[in-house]
Amino acid sequence: MNTPLILPDVALAPLLPIAITLLGAIAATLLGFFLPRRAITLISMVSLVLSGVSMVTLWNGGLTSFGGSLQADNVALSIGLIILLGSLMTLLVTYDSAARAKLAFPEFDAMLMYAVTGTLLIAFSGDLVTMLIGLEVMSLSGYVIATLQDSRRAEEAGMKYFLLGAVGSAILIYGIALVYGATGTLSYVGIRDATAGLQVQNVGLLVVGALLLLCGFGFKVALAPFHQWTPDVYGGAPTSVGLFLSTVVKVAAFAGMLRVFGGAMQNVPAWAGVLQVLIVATIVVGNLGALFQTNFKRLMAYSAVAHTGFLALALLGNPATGGPALTYYLLVYTLMTAGTLAVVSALQRTEAAFTLDDMRGLFYRHPAYAVALAVCLGSLAGLPPFAGFMGKYLAFQAAFQAGYVGLTIIAAMGSVAALIYYLRPAMLMFMPDRTPAREYPGERTPTTAAVVIGVVGVTVLGILPNLAYGLVANPAIWTVLAGR
Amino acid sequence: MESVPTSYYIALSGILFALGMIGVLTRRTAIMVFLSVELMLNAANLSLVAFARAWGDLVGQTAVFIVMTLAAAEVAIGLAIIVAIFRKRETTNVDDLASLKG
Amino acid sequence: MIHFFIFLPVLASLLIFLVPVRWREEFAGAAAGLTLAGGLWSWSVGGLSAYSINWIPALGVTYSVQMDGVSLLLGIVTAFMTLIAIIYAGKRIPNPGTMLSLILMMETGLLGIYAARDLVLFYVFFEDALIPALLMLAIYGKAHRMAALIKFAAYTLFGSLLMLISIIGVKYYGGSPTFALADLQAHPVTGTVQTWLFLGFLAAMAVKLPLFPMHAWLPDFHAQNHDSGVADVMGTLYKVGAYGLFRFGVILFPDAMLELRPILMALAAFTALYAAWIAFSQTDWKRLLAYAGLSHMGLVGLGIFSMNETAMIGALFLLAFQNVYTGALFLAAGMLQERVGSLSTKVGGIMTQAGALSGLTMTLWFASIAVPGLAGFIGEFSILLGAYQVSPWLAFLAGLSTIAAAAYALTAYQTTYWQVRPAGAVLAHDLRDLDWLILGAPVAVAIFFGIYSGPALALVQPVVRAWMNGLGGGV
Amino acid sequence: MALYWLPLLPLIGFLLLIVGGRWFSGTSGGWLGSGFIGAAFVVALVRFFGLSDVPAHETLWTWLPNMALGTGGVSANLNVGFYLDQLSSVMTLVITGVGFLIHVYSISYMREDARFTRFFALLNFFVAMMLILVLADSYPLMFVGWEGVGMASYLLIGFWFAGHKDHNAADGVNNSNAARKAFIMNRIGDLGFMLGMFLIYKVFGTLVIPELAGQEGTLAVTSRPLIELICLFLLVGAVGKSGQLPLTTWLPDAMAGPTPVSALIHAATMVTAGVYLIARSNFFYDLAPGASMWVAWAGGLTALYGALSALNQTDIKKILAYSTVSQLGYMFLAVGLHSYTAAIFHLVTHAFFKALLFLAAGAVIHALHEEQDVRKMGGLAKSMPFTHIVSLIGVLAISGIPIFAGFFSKDGILASAFAQNIPLYLIGLFVAFLTAFYMGRWYFLVWRGEYRGDTKLHPHDGDAVLSAPLGILAALATVGGFLNVPSFLGGGHVLDNFLGRAIPVHEHEILASTEWLATLIAVAVALAGLGWAFYEHRRRALQVGPLGQFSFQALYLDRLYTAVVGNGSKVISRGLDTVDNGVDGAMNGIVSNVGAPGWLVTIWQSGFVRAYALSMLLGTALIVGYWALKAIGGGL
């Protein structure tokens, strides 16, 4: 080994957004002993905002670090911003609901911030190891916050999440190992180059590795049949945790999938075919399962599963159309899911159940919340003028243009089923009802702020989609997902 | 130097992984389930090193360290969760955790 | 101006909540009146010309609107009936702020549908109108409204999502740079693909036409809506399938429409007769009106599908004016319910007590069953005449619906308004103040355009003729 | 005076009376309505005298798309336009003239009615529509009048929709049903009319009558079956409106309306629209011998049907109603034989004497306080001498007794039938015999013998307003025949010659002696019929006419229709309603079946974490295994 020692390419600038959130996490961990919990939350929020600012300054920079292991390209930045947005909304919701949810430990904020750090790492990743680290940091923190509430439900949820997550991680790691075996590299660019034209010696190994990766990611984003943890965890964990898991974590996992499958593995056969089957299964299972739910939180969990199917649809498309579609949809999905769950969080009296029956006549008790919830649900159902429509449309278009016509039609039919279960609660709210208010009566301004962000977001982005889509529409940034 | 072919390692790792899977499915105790998962991780580690040797590349080996670290972290968190549950329920049988369903 | 025309109502629908409660009716009325005035003004200047800017440049989605010809006619009718509905809602529904807001919101959706010259924009407006319609049903509906509502929404979305896929496909396969109609027209899709895309598009339009067997949402939708019939007016206006087929179907999928013409015409003719016949055994005015409207829509569909110039003119004419009298009939049913507390067709003897109500209702019914000299006739006659040129037997089949129409309308009318008022029944008072306007204005419109159809024809005929010539001298 | 004044005047009257009903107290509304008709009559007269050989054709405004001929092969829009030739001029005179008389009569007749003004509004509306019908220059515009009169007829038959004084439930139902039946049966005919128009348009590209009539070249080369079909379609329309077989049953029921309505609409004017339509379409029928034969036979059979049904009716108006059916049959017979002028002549005379008979019947009903059963009348000649005399004139006229109007007109029809189709002639002759009998029966039952009704009543002639129209009509029924005296009787065919300038007159070459013979036979038959009636009267056996229930039930035709068509369509309607629920249910079923696996999803979601792990790992194994198998099988 006579290779001269080469100093690692450590550019700090691209690291900045992640470092800031990490600092926030550490601060939360340490200061938790001295400051009240709300102060910690504020500090976390500030660090999120700062991280966001740093991302904005990095925009169009295309910087990389660690020899390409970390890349702050526009893909990473746009997804990173979505993650920050989701996290911010989570923090806003927890700011006043955490106490009610028996979650008001500084550790909660700390773990949340660690998770955010992990998610950002996934988005910024340039090789499989970085991605894996991010994924594990995110998952491990996720297990903790899912369990943190001192209740049997949360514990059960956490346990399930943890055990299944560990299995999923194991599958994923094994997949990484096989891909490494087939290509001899762990970096996205390397894999992409090695697989170009399928010159790899052991295609079988590569395909199996890719499929195992798909299964591992399938768990993280909740594709059927790897989705089964979702309803139990989202439904069992506190609402704010469910909010975080179903938005930020899912966004990050999709970012990983985008990097790995849209970038590194774009030439590898087989995974697209399998993904198609999984998407169909996901759409069917998610939508049908949701039809039979009476607990609104579980309903939203199944809805998250169903949306996974729609989101993955964009992944099937060519990266040039699928990438921006996925990003836009992720943003919208984050806004509307977070908005919905924020309303739930604001109104629920207990964490256990917010049933459809509770929603009857909500409009006459809390008109603003009801309208906000209706907007979010309408958006989830894909009704214009709300942004959910644009997301769905983009996903359909991406899949359609990649030739998956049949799949698009199935997805469209799934949307019809989706409409039914979104519509039922949405319309129940407007049906006159004379029972007295059952909602939590206290102060909840920050949660309301999160709701406002969600509602305004889906409305504005629905009417003027170009505000967000225009930023990511440039196909050039999506053809080099793996890095240069 | 006569060396063991890479495929042997891979076969062994595959067997270990399968054993881990079977363990996950058959054991009821959370701890045992968890240990089976560790077995799966180690199967992955084994193939990583094997491949690293085959490619003559160090990246795979470093990856193994990272995976081991992750596994350790996972153990920490997992045990904490298990303990928390055991304290409340006095059981680690995962089949007792089935109130969230449907 | 065109944006003012389209978006004034939705603006008002939001601002209305800032207006003190007791002024809301006046405010909504003023907004609707202004919109109508805008429409009439546009008419007087010969329509509002096209306006187009990029909406989502990266996707080729444009905001292209135009208000002339057929669009303008339908837009004005919409504005007119909305105004009528608002006047009645303000009078009839206690604390009507929400209802008024929803009506105005829906008006914008409908006007947008007519103005849109971009497929995605069309889709957006098409779905936009759905939301207030659902809310009206949810807030003001009757006991079984949830089922009706889900059914309505599911049918609509089932069709429109398939349409969405077609929309994506039309641009993709045609290679058009944008979704604007003009661009799509310049980059046509041909062959089998066109047929498949048309089928997707048709799914949405068949639901909204509605065409058998996609009509099942309609009776429940009307039966479950508020007794006043205000929401039904808007629901009637929302039956825009024929317009969509005319505006986009004929242009983008001419070969497919020709290819499927026999099947589609048969379905439409069957719908017309089938619905009319079913209406005969209805005993609830709203269900009866629902089926009557369905029957009319079958005729409209027949006209569009026949791809014959005269029939198509007739179809659009009928589409426009059936809104007036069907809508007004819903309101008349609402007035009946207001007076006797029932929507049954067996009430009996209303005319002995409320002559004007009964007389105006009867006039509307005569318009509805296409008695010549009233607006319904011009449409139905032209449709049947045109359809006969293409397929005599189907025209005959659809023509049978005119007999059935007389049967159901007069039977129900007789048992409600004629015959003897049962002893001890409540006294039905006659029309009062604004009631006169609410029923009288539609009657006046139905009579005026039935006799002097020139102005409306001038809006419809040139457009249709130009397109038919574009198809190769008509078919 | 422009032609549009003709329909416009009554329309103004209609609008004034319907909108401002409450402004007119007492009988002022009636006088106003009558005034408008009178004015229209004046216009009609002015235009009549202004007629030249070139028909007047005045177009107003655009109405229907693409239904006229334009220049250069592009179709033009159809205009609303009026067309006046000798045929329509005669019709306008009859409509406004007879209409005016009936209006005036109604002022007295309807005086007590609560909805007096509305009655006149509707009458005015009817006249307006009828004028549009006869003046229309295009088939669609004629259709406006066509359905317009149907609508007016509906409203007037159902004028007493709630029974006497709004409080007679059974009557209300009957009257309403009768009105509805009239409208619906007319609609059946109207569909035929429409189909006829569609076919005309398909063949000729226009629906404007002068344009069509002017297309002799095209007409001559058009394939015969098409023209036959057009004529058959139009026949369906005509049959519906004129109450011919098979669409006849509404007409007797239509007598549920007030008597002036029966006189004006269901005797004198509207029901003759079918005859007018065929006469107007003579350029088609002349080329369609087959369809014309259908027309003639429809007429002949209806004449027989009506006569047979009239034999044993007991309602004073029903007898007249069936008689109308029968007389309309004569007219159809005539137009079917292309004797258009004979048909129009009979139309005119029939308008006079049938209106007269109805109005006289109305006077009787009035005098007897709504009693309509002839079995409860009798001997009224003493108490109502004036009405008796005019009735007698009417009976003589309709029976075809010389010098009265019906003699000449019926003779013309029989003569042309004699010349062309002996079976139809024989039917016509037999019907003439029956006519004389049942009218004789009507006369004797009402006017002669002993009074059999409620003795508390003191019937008397009506007032001057009521009687004046009767007198005028009686005069017309007496002398109207001289309009068209045939040449063998020394006449000059005045009406034939006049109409001949507009519609073709087909001369039949019959020897004068033969014609004399035919005429004598006809008169003999009529006298025989009257004589039989008189004989039965003397036997006091008239109350039960011949044929018993068979006649009374109008050959059971109505019952047949109710059983088959009426109930049938109701059954089908309910069936379809069920089907529609089925469609709805099927859709719901599909949805719920598609949704049913949703339960499986929830069952799958068992809550056991190891089951979840099983799904995951099994899924992984399946995915990988499938590809492994595939790779082993055939490589990638």
Side-chain angles (χ1 to χ4, degrees), chain D residues 53-244:
Chain D
D53 278 348
V54 182
H57 189 184
E58 302 169 6
T59 54
L60 296 175
W61 60 74
T62 304
W63 186 46
L64 286 176
N66 296 354
M67 292 179 199
L69 282 181
T71 49
V74 182
S75 50
N77 288 345
L78 184 85
N79 290 314
V80 172
F82 294 120
Y83 182 80
L84 189 81
D85 64 358
Q86 282 74 11
L87 175 60
S88 34
S89 184
V90 168
M91 292 301 289
T92 54
L93 284 175
V94 172
I95 294 159
T96 50
V98 176
F100 175 69
L101 294 176
I102 294 174
H103 269 75
V104 173
Y105 173 91
S106 307
I107 295 171
S108 168
Y109 190 84
M110 297 298 286
R111 183 172 285 154
E112 307 297 324
D113 200 278
R115 284 185 271 271
F116 178 84
T117 309
R118 195 186 301 170
F119 182 77
F120 280 88
L122 296 176
L123 275 189
N124 271 9
F125 178 71
F126 167 79
V127 171
M129 286 299 141
M130 194 67 206
L131 286 169
I132 289 176
L133 196 163
V134 297
L135 287 172
D137 73 333
S138 64
Y139 283 110
L141 186 62
M142 189 192 284
F143 196 62
V144 170
W146 191 267
E147 286 241 319
V149 293
M151 198 163 94
S153 152
Y154 167 75
L155 293 169
L156 285 165
I157 297 171
F159 189 74
W160 288 323
F161 53 80
H164 184 61
K165 301 223 182 281
D166 287 351
H167 279 300
N168 189 331
D171 266 7
V173 173
N174 281 341
N175 296 349
S176 306
N177 280 344
R180 179 170 54 126
K181 186 176 183 181
F183 196 90
I184 293 171
M185 290 194 90
N186 269 307
R187 270 266 156 144
I188 298 174
D190 292 352
L191 178 60
F193 191 179
M194 282 207 278
L195 290 173
M197 286 191 263
F198 301 159
L199 188 55
I200 292 172
Y201 179 76
K202 188 169 189 174
V203 177
F204 302 102
T206 176
L207 290 172
V208 181
I209 296 168
E211 286 178 5
L212 284 166
Q215 287 192 339
E216 278 120 358
T218 322
L219 275 166
V221 297
T222 309
S223 86
R224 282 293 163 269
L226 277 179
I227 300 220
E228 295 274 6
L229 192 58
I230 288 174
C231 291
L232 285 177
F233 278 147
L234 294 183
L235 171 63
V236 174
V239 155
K241 187 95 326 187
S242 292
Q244 300 294 290

Side-chain angles (χ1 to χ4, degrees), chain C residues 107-141:
Chain C
E107 185 181 6
T108 284
L110 295 167
L111 293 175
I113 288 172
Y114 297 132
R117 292 293 185 276
D118 177 285
L119 265 181
V120 173
L121 187 68
F122 173 73
Y123 183 89
V124 168
F125 280 123
F126 186 80
E127 297 274 296
D128 275 356
L130 176 66
I131 296 169
L134 290 175
L135 286 174
M136 279 182 214
L137 188 49
I139 299 179
Y140 296 98

Side-chain angles (χ1 to χ4, degrees), chain D residues 369-406:
Chain D
H369 289 233
E370 313 306 321
E371 181 56 70
Q372 302 203 12
D373 192 335
V374 288
R375 291 169 302 188
K376 295 181 181 164
M377 298 178 185
L380 293 178
K382 289 176 277 257
S383 50
M384 302 174 70
F386 176 76
T387 317
H388 168 236
I389 296 296
V390 296
S391 301
L392 183 59
I393 293 172
V395 169
L396 293 176
I398 194 173
S399 304
I401 302 302
I403 82 140
F404 294 103

Side-chain angles (χ1 to χ4, degrees), chain A residues 68 211 262 307 322 328 379 388 412 482:
Chain A
L211 293 181
H307 272 281
Y328 182 80
S379 181

Side-chain angles (χ1 to χ4, degrees), chain A residues 105-475:
Chain A
F105 320 111
E107 290 83 357
F108 178 79
D109 296 78
M111 294 316 283
L112 195 96
M113 290 305 289
Y114 284 123
V116 173
T117 311
T119 55
L120 288 179
L121 207 51
I122 299 173
F124 282 64
S125 67
D127 63 25
L128 286 172
V129 172
T130 320
M131 190 277 296
L132 180 65
I133 295 171
L135 199 68
E136 284 297 307
V137 169
M138 170 188 90
S139 300
L140 293 173
S141 320
Y143 304 149
V144 175
I145 55 176
T147 325
L148 206 54
Q149 188 197 34
D150 187 22
S151 75
R152 294 174 78 92
R153 295 169 55 85
E155 279 163 3
E156 181 182 336
M159 184 68 166
K160 284 178 175 171
Y161 188 25
F162 167 68
L163 283 180
L164 297 172
V167 173
S169 297
I171 294 173
L172 187 90
I173 293 168
Y174 202 76
I176 290 176
L178 294 188
V179 170
Y180 174 66
T183 59
T185 172
L186 284 170
S187 86
Y188 296 153
V189 187
I191 295 171
R192 186 191 67 196
D193 295 343
T195 55
L198 284 184
Q199 297 302 312
V200 226
Q201 292 151 347
N202 199 337
V203 177
L205 207 57
L206 178 65
V207 167
V208 172
L211 293 181
L212 287 176
L213 272 173
L214 184 61
C215 295
F217 274 117
F219 173 85
K220 299 292 175 197
V221 299
L223 280 168
F226 311 104
H227 71 285
Q228 286 192 294
W229 59 279
T230 346
D232 290 4
V233 175
Y234 293 179
T239 308
S240 47
V241 175
L243 191 162
F244 183 73
L245 294 180
S246 58
T247 57
V248 176
V249 170
K250 182 167 288 192
V251 171
F254 264 110
M257 279 188 96
L258 186 63
R259 288 278 190 204
V260 173
F261 291 102
M265 307 255 194
Q266 53 178 296
N267 299 315
V268 177
W271 66 265
V274 172
L275 184 57
Q276 273 189 71
V277 178
L278 296 186
I279 289 173
V280 171
T282 309
I283 288 175
V284 169
V285 166
N287 285 315
L288 292 189
L291 276 176
F292 291 87
Q293 300 306 320
T294 52
N295 182 335
F296 187 65
K297 272 167 74 181
R298 269 187 96 77
L299 189 153
M300 285 306 295
Y302 275 104
S303 133
V305 174
H307 272 281
T308 300
F310 297 131
L311 284 160
L313 213 54
L315 211 57
L316 273 179
N318 307 317
T321 53
L326 181 64
T327 314
Y328 182 80
Y329 199 162
L330 284 172
L331 169 62
V332 173
Y333 170 77
T334 303
L335 284 169
M336 58 200 186
T337 308
T340 308
L341 291 174
V343 174
V344 174
S345 186
L347 297 180
Q348 66 184 3
R349 269 190 177 276
T350 68
E351 287 291 341
F354 187 69
T355 65
L356 295 194
D357 271 343
D358 291 334
M359 304 177 75
R360 187 179 289 274
L362 191 64
F363 178 65
Y364 304 94
R365 302 191 292 270
H366 299 276
Y369 280 124
V371 168
L373 190 50
V375 167
C376 289
L377 287 172
S379 181
L380 283 165
L383 293 178
F386 306 115
F389 157 69
M390 276 295 162
K392 216 166 245 181
Y393 156 70
L394 288 168
F396 286 179
Q397 177 166 278
F400 188 94
Q401 294 189 355
Y404 300 100
V405 177
L407 193 60
T408 319
I409 293 174
I410 291 173
M413 293 302 97
S415 302
V416 177
L419 173 84
I420 295 176
Y421 61 77
Y422 290 125
L423 202 61
R424 205 182 294 145
M427 291 298 140
L428 269 177
M429 293 190 299
F430 291 94
M431 297 200 174
D433 181 54
R434 304 222 174 276
T435 52
R438 291 161 286 211
E439 287 76 27
Y440 173 71
E443 185 269 349
R444 56 210 156 183
T445 315
T447 305
T448 310
V451 174
V452 169
I453 292 175
V455 170
V456 170
V458 293
T459 312
V460 169
L461 287 180
I463 295 169
L464 299 168
N466 220 38
L467 287 184
Y469 190 78
L471 296 177
V472 295
N474 178 11

Side-chain angles (χ1 to χ4, degrees), chain B residues 40-69:
Chain B
M40 291 165 77
L41 285 176
N42 283 321
N45 278 345
L46 179 59
S47 24
L48 271 176
V49 254
F51 286 129
R53 193 193 64 156
W55 287 103
D57 181 35
L58 286 176
V59 175
Q61 301 198 8
T62 51
V64 169
F65 282 106
I66 290 170
V67 172
M68 284 165 72
T69 323

Side-chain angles (χ1 to χ4, degrees), chain D residues 534-556:
Chain D
F534 182 65
Y535 170 68
E536 294 285 332
H537 170 63
R538 297 304 293 267
R539 284 180 58 212
R540 297 181 185 280
L542 265 182
Q543 287 190 46
V544 180
L547 294 182
Q549 280 294 309
F550 185 62
S551 167
F552 185 71
Q553 296 284 358
L555 281 57
Y556 296 104

